[in-house]
């Protein structure tokens, strides 16, 4: 099960436009897989997971690769981003944009 921190929930609600934010995984990047964020209504052909905290839905394929992850919204001097702490992740690239399991 994916867990959202309060900061992540607040951020996702602020960008959801009244719908759901979606999270998927696709092949690519220098480590093998990349996280893909979007709005669920942009991909109506996907059968999304049950909503998490009434704001996030997962692509069924993503559920295989991000189970038991925690998503946080991090604000730093250089910018803000969603951070995924994925216990299945074995490695990631230097920029943090891709991962392997």
């Amino acid at each position: 099960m994916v867990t959202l921190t309060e900061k992540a929930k607040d951020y996702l609600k602020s960008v959801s436009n009244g719908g759901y934010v979606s999270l998927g995984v696709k092949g690519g990047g220098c480590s093998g897989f990349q996280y893909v964020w979007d709005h669920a209504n942009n991909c109506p052909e996907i059968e999304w997971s049950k909503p998490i905290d009434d704001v996030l839905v997962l692509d069924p394929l993503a559920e295989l690769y991000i189970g038991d992850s925690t998503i946080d919204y991090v604000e730093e001097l250089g910018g803000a981003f969603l951070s995924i702490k994925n216990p299945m992740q074995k490695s990631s690239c230097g920029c943090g944009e891709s991962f392997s399991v």
Side-chain angles (χ1 to χ4, degrees):
M1 166 172 241
V2 173
T3 303
L4 297 175
T5 65
E6 286 302 316
K7 288 176 85 174
K9 280 188 247 184
D10 291 343
Y11 173 74
L12 291 173
K13 285 179 183 177
S14 75
V15 299
S16 69
N17 296 327
Y20 296 110
V21 174
S22 64
L23 175 58
V25 172
K26 71 175 184 175
C30 53
S31 292
F33 295 101
Q34 292 178 307
Y35 297 113
V36 180
W37 295 96
D38 203 345
H39 290 97
N41 59 354
N42 289 343
C43 302
E45 70 280 1
I46 295 176
E47 188 173 324
W48 300 105
S49 70
K50 178 181 172 189
I52 299 167
D53 292 325
D54 205 32
V55 69
L56 177 69
V57 291
L58 304 175
D59 180 317
L61 179 62
E63 290 182 275
L64 298 172
Y65 295 103
I66 64 171
D68 297 324
S69 293
T70 299
I71 301 172
D72 191 16
Y73 182 65
V74 179
E75 296 176 279
E76 296 179 342
L77 184 60
F81 57 93
L82 288 163
S83 168
I84 301 175
K85 295 194 182 358
N86 184 345
M88 296 177 71
Q89 179 177 310
K90 301 292 185 218
S91 65
S92 65
C93 65
C95 66
E97 293 294 318
S98 65
F99 67 100
S100 67
V101 290

